């Protein structure tokens, strides 16, 4: 089990909670009330900063209900926060774009994260043929 140092930038959000057996993704909450009009962009503060273990990074993505509930999309679609972003003022944010007028309140669960090990060092080997079954060249079904 890893222990991660966390700093809360707001005493108004609920502490992070790992729910064993349910999911290994951890919900993050808005740390301030946000009002957005359709077409507006905002970095929503998440009220936390962390010192991740060496060799790890956090992957931050919207929750499955974020668009339905708030009409926002995460502009980078998949945020990556590495272990170097661990200073005393390095609060996590979610960059969002509103597709409709919306209101987000303090403590609303708007995104989630998980901790992942860095990708190992890899090399690429150029070949003329891949030694695998040809699936048709398009997606998982091979059909256009």
């Amino acid at each position: 089990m890893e222990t991660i140092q966390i700093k809360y930038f707001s005493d108004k959000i609920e502490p992070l909670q790992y729910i064993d057996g349910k999911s290994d993704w951890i919900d993050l909450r808005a740390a301030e009330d946000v009002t957005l009009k359709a077409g507006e962009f905002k970095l929503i503060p998440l009220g936390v900063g962390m010192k991740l273990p060496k060799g790890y990074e956090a992957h931050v993505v919207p929750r499955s209900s974020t668009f339905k509930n708030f009409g926002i999309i995460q502009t980078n679609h998949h945020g990556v926060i590495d272990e170097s972003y661990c200073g005393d003022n390095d609060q996590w944010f979610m960059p969002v774009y509103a597709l409709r007028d919306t209101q987000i309140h303090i403590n609303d669960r708007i995104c989630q994260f998980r901790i992942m090990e860095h990708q190992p060092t890899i090399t690429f080997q150029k070949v003329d043929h891949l030694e695998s079954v040809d699936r048709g060249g398009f997606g998982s079904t091979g059909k256009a």
Side-chain angles (χ1 to χ4, degrees), residues 51-87:
K51 185 174 182 178
L52 300 176
K54 185 170 177 48
Y56 286 81
E57 61 196 21
H59 293 195
V60 181
V61 299
R63 298 180 76 241
S64 60
S65 61
T66 297
F67 182 76
K68 175 181 68 81
N69 291 341
F70 303 108
I72 58 174
I73 57 173
Q74 184 173 340
T75 58
N76 57 356
H77 302 290
H78 178 124
V80 177
I81 301 171
D82 69 24
E83 77 270 24
S84 71
Y85 191 68
C86 62

Side-chain angles (χ1 to χ4, degrees), residues 35-139:
T35 300
L36 292 166
K37 298 284 186 197
E40 289 185 332
F41 168 83
K42 169 103 174 142
L43 286 172
I44 299 178
L46 301 172
V48 298
M50 295 180 213
K51 185 174 182 178
L52 300 176
K54 185 170 177 48
Y56 286 81
E57 61 196 21
H59 293 195
V60 181
V61 299
R63 298 180 76 241
S64 60
S65 61
T66 297
F67 182 76
K68 175 181 68 81
N69 291 341
F70 303 108
I72 58 174
I73 57 173
Q74 184 173 340
T75 58
N76 57 356
H77 302 290
H78 178 124
V80 177
I81 301 171
D82 69 24
E83 77 270 24
S84 71
Y85 191 68
C86 62
D88 208 36
N89 294 309
D90 290 338
Q91 178 175 197
W92 292 12
F93 290 83
M94 181 185 185
V96 302
Y97 181 80
L99 281 101
R100 66 173 189 253
D101 293 356
T102 190
Q103 188 104 43
I104 300 164
H105 300 286
I106 292 174
N107 253 329
D108 281 345
R109 296 179 299 158
I110 58 172
C111 57
Q112 58 191 337
F113 79 101
R114 71 182 307 183
I115 305 299
M116 303 288 294
E117 262 188 288
H118 288 236
Q119 177 172 283
T121 302
I122 60 173
T123 59
F124 294 97
Q125 176 187 11
K126 183 179 176 184
V127 298
D128 290 327
H129 301 282
L130 299 174
E131 296 176 10
S132 298
V133 175
D134 188 353
R135 296 172 34 146
F138 186 83

